[in-house]
Amino acid sequence: MGEKKITEIQKEFKEADIDIIPDFIQEYINDGRPGVSKIIGQAQKKMEKLRIEKDRIERLKEYEYKYWDQYEFIGGIDEVGRGPLAGPVVTACVILPKDCDILYINDSKKLTATKREELYEEIMEKAVSVSIGAASEARIDEINILQATYEAMRQAIEESKVEPQMLLNDAVTIPQVKIPQVPIIKGDAKSISIGAASIIAKVTRDRMMIEYDSIYPEYHFASNKGYGSAEHIEALKKYGPCPIHRRSFIGNFV
């Protein structure tokens, strides 16, 4: 059989799982044709990007490695939704296994919506435990956003199917929690557990706000997620608040 066409090799590369790229490179590296050499260069760049990402993820485990010798179950805690004018504040507690191999975890704000959705599914599949807490807009109005956030965080901890032995928190120390805690400023970009929690909380809350958009379409919650966009504020002034607006947040607009 003659040598493969370059278009066939290109198709093979595009369809190849990342795990077999090294074998792909080895098979065609001595082909000699300029078109194949270009494909091999693309494959090598792909492997280099993967190496860089794996190194980043290892650095993201710095806090976990510090405490994994002492604690098997470390819970990362984060929240989403402290700033919006409408909807709940949502928190997540995520316990990852020590051999966690999930790549691309980061502060949820640094990821595209598509990537967050992909990582949400992978985290849900591979985590030891994933649990959610939430405080409604009524609860936020009743006890203020900070206390409501703490309450939602405690709920997420209590809902964990495996009790965390210690907590890595994004920036805060949660009152009324007896488990050892380590607050980390910008923790969602410094700890893989907190980063995972930020993704779970963000995707969960975004899905909730999309559901609310179907009930209250005039406020465009699917696009603004309850935050104070110009479009949202205009609708708030035109229609007044709906049941999920935080009355303590909207005094300047109604």
Side-chain angles (χ1 to χ4, degrees):
M1 191 174 83
E3 61 184 11
K4 285 185 182 177
K5 294 179 180 178
I6 293 174
T7 53
E8 292 175 331
I9 296 172
Q10 179 72 48
K11 183 173 184 289
E12 187 179 336
F13 167 57
K14 286 184 176 180
E15 294 176 352
D17 187 83
I18 193 71
D19 294 334
I20 65 169
I21 294 292
D23 293 335
F24 172 87
I25 292 170
Q26 203 61 38
E27 182 176 354
Y28 295 110
I29 195 165
N30 296 318
D31 182 286
R33 288 174 288 175
V36 177
S37 296
K38 182 179 179 181
I39 296 167
I40 292 300
Q42 292 170 346
Q44 289 170 331
K45 284 181 181 178
K46 190 170 184 176
M47 291 307 299
E48 178 62 9
K49 285 182 179 179
L50 178 63
R51 184 194 66 77
I52 291 169
E53 175 58 19
K54 285 182 174 179
D55 287 348
R56 186 190 70 83
I57 287 292
E58 281 301 297
R59 293 193 300 273
L60 204 59
K61 296 178 183 177
E62 175 190 354
Y63 286 94
E64 284 76 7
Y65 282 138
K66 184 176 179 180
Y67 297 107
W68 264 332
D69 285 343
Q70 189 177 356
Y71 305 105
E72 183 175 0
F73 301 122
I74 296 174
I77 302 277
D78 203 6
E79 55 72 29
V80 172
R82 286 179 67 170
L85 305 179
V89 60
V90 174
T91 64
C93 177
V94 176
I95 301 174
L96 295 173
K98 291 183 179 182
D99 61 352
C100 176
D101 62 354
I102 305 173
L103 301 178
Y104 309 107
I105 287 178
N106 207 335
D107 170 3
S108 63
K109 295 184 290 298
K110 297 180 180 179
L111 301 168
T112 64
T114 300
K115 195 64 184 176
R116 285 195 298 266
E117 289 282 348
E118 290 174 5
L119 284 166
Y120 175 94
E121 298 300 334
E122 189 171 5
I123 293 164
M124 293 297 288
E125 177 188 342
K126 295 181 176 179
V128 173
S129 176
V130 175
S131 50
I132 297 294
S136 69
E137 59 288 333
R139 190 63 174 155
I140 292 166
D141 288 339
E142 183 181 353
I143 61 173
N144 78 45
I145 184 60
L146 180 59
Q147 295 307 316
T149 301
Y150 288 150
E151 193 171 90
M153 287 177 168
R154 288 192 291 268
Q155 181 188 351
I157 296 164
E158 290 165 5
E159 293 290 330
S160 180
K161 69 179 182 182
V162 176
E163 184 176 358
Q165 296 164 308
M166 83 160 301
L167 302 169
L168 301 177
N169 306 339
D170 188 27
V172 301
T173 300
I174 310 162
Q176 302 167 39
V177 171
K178 295 179 180 178
I179 301 168
Q181 304 178 59
V182 178
I184 303 169
I185 303 298
K186 297 185 178 178
D188 45 9
K190 296 178 182 177
S191 157
I192 191 170
S193 302
I194 300 175
S198 79
I199 292 164
I200 294 294
K202 173 67 173 165
V203 171
T204 299
R205 188 179 188 281
D206 282 359
R207 290 177 179 180
M208 293 170 74
M209 296 309 295
I210 290 167
E211 286 293 318
Y212 281 129
D213 183 79
S214 66
I215 303 169
Y216 310 111
E218 59 269 30
Y219 302 98
H220 308 284
F221 289 140
S223 58
N224 62 52
K225 306 303 188 291
Y227 286 86
S229 67
E231 188 178 48
H232 183 185
I233 291 169
E234 183 181 346
L236 190 56
K237 289 177 178 178
K238 182 175 180 179
Y239 300 108
C242 75
I244 69 161
H245 276 105
R246 303 172 182 178
R247 288 346 190 234
S248 55
F249 277 49
I250 60 173
N252 292 334
F253 309 118
V254 295

